[in-house]
Amino acid sequence: MDKLNLDSSIRLFAWLPTYRKSVRGFPRTDGIETGSVFGMPDVDPYELNEFLKARGAFLLVKPHPMAAFEEQRAWSNLIVVDESWFKERSLSLYELLGATDLLISDISSVVIDYLLLDRPIIHAFCDLEKYETSRGFTVEPIRDYFVGPVVTEAQQLYQALDRAIGGDDTMSVRRRDIARLSHRHLDAGATSRLLDAIGLRES
């Protein structure tokens, strides 16, 4: 991606965890607040960076806007950013997501949007049971709606990434089934439909 100055051969991944402890709006804590930007306490950024480097991959991590954020940090193949980083580059989050090869998240709504790309998704969810008993889920049973492997620790994450990098996409059928449940349209015609709806289509 040109705005990231990445070589075209680099695989681009995004990690968008949702918040556990909100620092804006109505204060609340859901699940387990790990104090880790990844939401998984055993993920070491230096180890993760070396893992990505060895596989020709680059990972961008963006915490939820309601989560605490200390500072932007960067390694050779890993970067942690916030909203200001995107503004400085005149780049939107969804512009970046459109260029990625894979998404890591937990239960963030971005998973539903990402289904339109039909690309692999990994659910990094170390506190699933605790989250279920605190905030809970809109749909149940939630395990029927996961569209990728659920990982609860670093080694499981690395294994899932290796499988995805190797082309092992065993959840593709589930992902497409959930996409059809979540979206009325799966094509790229949203802009045209919007223009028709508001009467701005050129004759």
Side-chain angles (χ1 to χ4, degrees), residues 117-187:
L117 297 176
D118 192 22
R119 297 172 192 166
I121 296 169
I122 296 173
H123 296 277
F125 217 144
C126 68
D127 61 344
L128 174 57
E129 293 183 359
K130 180 67 174 178
Y131 194 94
E132 192 168 24
T133 58
S134 56
R135 187 173 186 179
F137 302 109
T138 303
V139 293
E140 294 282 4
I142 191 60
R143 291 159 185 80
D144 290 348
Y145 294 90
F146 286 131
V147 291
V150 179
V151 301
T152 60
E153 59 185 20
Q155 287 307 310
Q156 292 178 354
L157 172 65
Y158 297 148
Q159 291 166 7
L161 283 170
D162 265 337
R163 288 194 295 270
I165 291 170
D168 183 4
D169 190 9
T170 58
M171 300 288 283
S172 59
V173 173
R174 165 75 69 83
R175 190 172 64 239
R176 291 161 191 161
D177 287 343
I178 300 300
R180 285 190 287 270
L181 287 174
S182 305
H183 298 281
R184 177 176 295 180
H185 302 284
L186 299 176
D187 59 13

Side-chain angles (χ1 to χ4, degrees), residues 109-120:
S109 61
V110 73
V111 169
I112 299 300
D113 298 336
Y114 201 77
L115 288 172
L116 291 170
L117 297 176
D118 192 22
R119 297 172 192 166

Side-chain angles (χ1 to χ4, degrees), residues 42-59:
D42 65 337
V43 174
D44 178 81
Y46 297 94
E47 181 181 89
L48 177 57
N49 183 71
E50 290 304 309
F51 174 92
L52 295 164
K53 186 177 180 180
R55 289 156 180 79
F58 187 93
L59 173 64

Side-chain angles (χ1 to χ4, degrees), residues 20-52:
R20 293 301 187 271
K21 183 176 182 179
S22 60
V23 296
R24 296 176 179 82
F26 181 72
R28 62 178 297 158
T29 300
D30 299 300
I32 299 173
E33 173 55 47
T34 64
S36 165
V37 70
F38 307 103
M40 296 181 70
D42 65 337
V43 174
D44 178 81
Y46 297 94
E47 181 181 89
L48 177 57
N49 183 71
E50 290 304 309
F51 174 92
L52 295 164

